[in-house]
Amino acid sequence: MRQEPQASPYRPDPQINTIADWLGDKVPPANFPQHILRWRDDTHAATVGLSGLSDEAWIAHFGRFEPLEGNLPQPLALRYHGHQFRHYNPELGDGRGFLFAQMRDGAGRLMDLGTKGSGVTPWSRQGDGRLTLKGAMREILATTMLEALGANTSKTFSVIETGEHLHRGDEPSPTRSAVLVRLSHGHIRIGSFQRLMALEEDAHLAALVDYALAQYPGPKAPEGAPDAENPAVILLHQVVERLADMAASYVASGFVHGVLNTDNMNITGESFDYGPWRWLPAWDASFTAAYFDHAGLYAFGRQGEAIRWNCGQLAIALRPLAETAPLVAALERFEPIFQRRLAQRVLWRLGVQEVGPEEDAAALNVIGKALAASGLSPDVFFHIHRGGRLLEGLPEVVPGALDHALWHEDTAPTNHIDEVERIWAAIDAGDDWQALHDHTAAIGRLGEALGEPLKAVGHQER
């Protein structure tokens, strides 16, 4: 069984104030004409002491953005640069979002409440700073499914419909609007470090490294690693571990993020920013999620390569603080960590025992060949073969792997595009949200059936 997240009292702790003067800009939230509460995640709200808010108070804080007690008095739009499809862009930053609050969860971790669709900022670049309601619904589906599949992801904390009519080139317009709040373990991106390096703000670069190590603690550099006491080297080792695991979680989930730019890489290893995502309809390394990814740079089978490349950009950004050789040594750990975590995550999802690195890699090869030959989506494949059913050459079944009733039903829930469009059609045509709630409940049941996920890597308990 999967454990419920640990509840906690509300403990505000806006640590970002120590670096806010050079990391972001204070901004006002948009003044929306309407506030209709469509989604509140009380399970995760309980982890930061906010599940007891009335709907009216919830809307006041997460629709009108009245400050939470003891927290940031004004939202902060963060500054960063980034590589977008390998092209460097110094004109980035939070263009339709901001950091709203920080608090501790039940495990003592610093958690952020950040927004999407909350209005224009100095970094909006002629955009309107808004989010479509369909985009918000899609983020609910993406985060719910990834969490069920054991990935480290942001949580869709709140969605409030805002009563504006938006025009978009990739949706029938005008379309409905919303403001979304995410709960995340930090919002510091690779692009945050890239900006400071590009501006030659070396003192601030060192301070951001110190902030990251203090607020998102992880293990020291491995024994024998060169320059292992250098904070910048330690941070890179941690980020490489976390992002290699994130890449493995995408592949094991059959998930395609779509826009793996360096400004979308959280140093905590949390997946976030769900725009053009897809789940694979069939095992296909060339499958892309973004219609504008003409070269297939972020195709399903290239996600590990893309995320490793992004880690390389972090290494370049840290060069003012460390020599090249120890940074390269940290980067060289990405591929073996990715392969090891991919094997572990696939075996976990299939419900068979880990044996050891060599045996697990061999089992992964068997599974991969069977999956590719099946023509099935990973969701269907892993459901049919849960516990190693109908597959040969695998380790032993995990005790209880088939105990849940879900594994004896015809199929498990999917997040394929036809499901997404069906759910949106019900909302769009008749304001019927029941299909969304039924689907997320089914996804939650899948999480229960899979059981407790693997522990994340590159972190340490406080």
Side-chain angles (χ1 to χ4, degrees), residues 43 55-56 58 63 65 98 134 236 304 315 337 361 390 408 436-437 443 447 456:
T43 298
D55 283 354
E56 292 75 19
W58 188 279
F65 296 100
F98 49 60
K134 184 178 183 180
L236 185 60
I337 294 171
L390 309 178
H408 305 284
L436 175 66
H437 293 298
I443 291 172

Side-chain angles (χ1 to χ4, degrees), residues 60 238 344 452:
Q238 293 174 1
Q344 291 174 323
E452 198 64 22

Side-chain angles (χ1 to χ4, degrees), residues 75 242 316 342 366 372 378 385 414 443:
R242 295 165 184 169
I316 292 169
L342 178 57
V366 170
H385 296 293
T414 71
I443 291 172

Side-chain angles (χ1 to χ4, degrees), residues 205-223:
L205 183 64
L208 188 58
V209 169
D210 290 342
Y211 177 90
L213 291 174
Q215 302 308 329
Y216 315 115
K220 295 290 187 181
E223 186 176 349

Side-chain angles (χ1 to χ4, degrees), residues 394-405:
L394 297 184
E396 294 182 6
V397 176
V398 173
L402 292 168
D403 283 356
H404 199 283

Side-chain angles (χ1 to χ4, degrees), residues 87-346:
H87 297 286
Y88 194 74
N89 187 349
E91 302 297 328
L92 298 178
D94 284 339
R96 57 173 174 170
F98 49 60
L99 177 60
F100 175 63
Q102 290 184 305
M103 63 283 295
R104 297 286 169 180
D105 71 1
R109 302 184 306 162
L110 184 66
M111 304 297 292
D112 287 2
L113 289 174
T115 65
K116 188 175 183 179
S118 50
V120 295
T121 77
W123 310 104
S124 295
R125 306 187 304 282
Q126 284 74 55
D128 62 11
R130 268 50 174 185
L131 172 68
T132 68
L133 182 63
K134 184 178 183 180
M137 181 215 72
R138 285 171 50 84
E139 185 139 340
I140 291 169
L141 293 174
T143 56
T144 304
M145 181 62 109
L146 281 172
E147 184 174 21
L149 295 174
N152 185 14
T153 177
S154 62
K155 320 303 180 191
T156 307
F157 192 81
S158 171
V159 172
I160 293 174
E161 188 169 359
T162 53
E164 296 178 318
H165 300 286
L166 305 180
H167 291 267
R168 295 290 187 266
D170 56 354
E171 288 187 38
S173 296
T175 191
R176 294 155 72 176
S177 59
V179 63
L180 178 147
V181 178
R182 297 183 179 114
L183 179 67
S184 298
H185 186 32
H187 276 87
I188 305 299
R189 309 152 191 256
I190 288 177
S192 309
F193 295 87
Q194 290 181 286
R195 174 182 171 273
L196 295 173
M197 189 274 284
L199 298 177
E200 299 183 351
E201 296 184 18
D202 292 358
H204 290 158
L205 183 64
L208 188 58
V209 169
D210 290 342
Y211 177 90
L213 291 174
Q215 302 308 329
Y216 315 115
K220 295 290 187 181
E223 186 176 349
D227 203 11
E229 299 302 316
N230 185 321
V233 174
I234 294 170
L235 179 64
L236 185 60
H237 277 281
Q238 293 174 1
V239 174
V240 163
E241 290 180 25
R242 295 165 184 169
L243 290 182
D245 187 29
M246 186 185 81
S249 76
Y250 286 174
V251 178
S253 298
F255 175 73
V256 193
H257 184 282
V259 190
L260 295 173
N261 298 327
T262 58
D263 57 299
N264 289 339
M265 294 287 108
N266 191 337
I267 63 163
T268 64
E270 272 182 316
S271 175
F272 79 111
D273 203 7
Y274 298 102
W277 56 262
R278 289 286 186 93
W279 257 265
L280 289 180
W283 193 260
D284 179 2
S286 66
F287 185 89
T288 57
Y291 66 87
F292 45 82
D293 187 4
H294 304 296
L297 183 63
Y298 299 146
F300 173 70
R302 298 183 67 184
Q303 290 182 114
E305 169 198 335
I307 294 170
R308 186 201 178 283
W309 190 91
N310 291 338
C311 289
Q313 302 315 301
L314 177 59
I316 292 169
L318 294 173
R319 274 291 288 114
L321 307 178
E323 296 297 323
T324 299
L327 297 173
V328 170
L331 281 176
E332 288 175 343
R333 297 180 62 220
F334 184 96
E335 186 62 23
I337 294 171
F338 168 72
Q339 293 295 339
R340 180 65 182 143
R341 290 298 285 181
L342 178 57
Q344 291 174 323
R345 285 184 170 278
V346 167

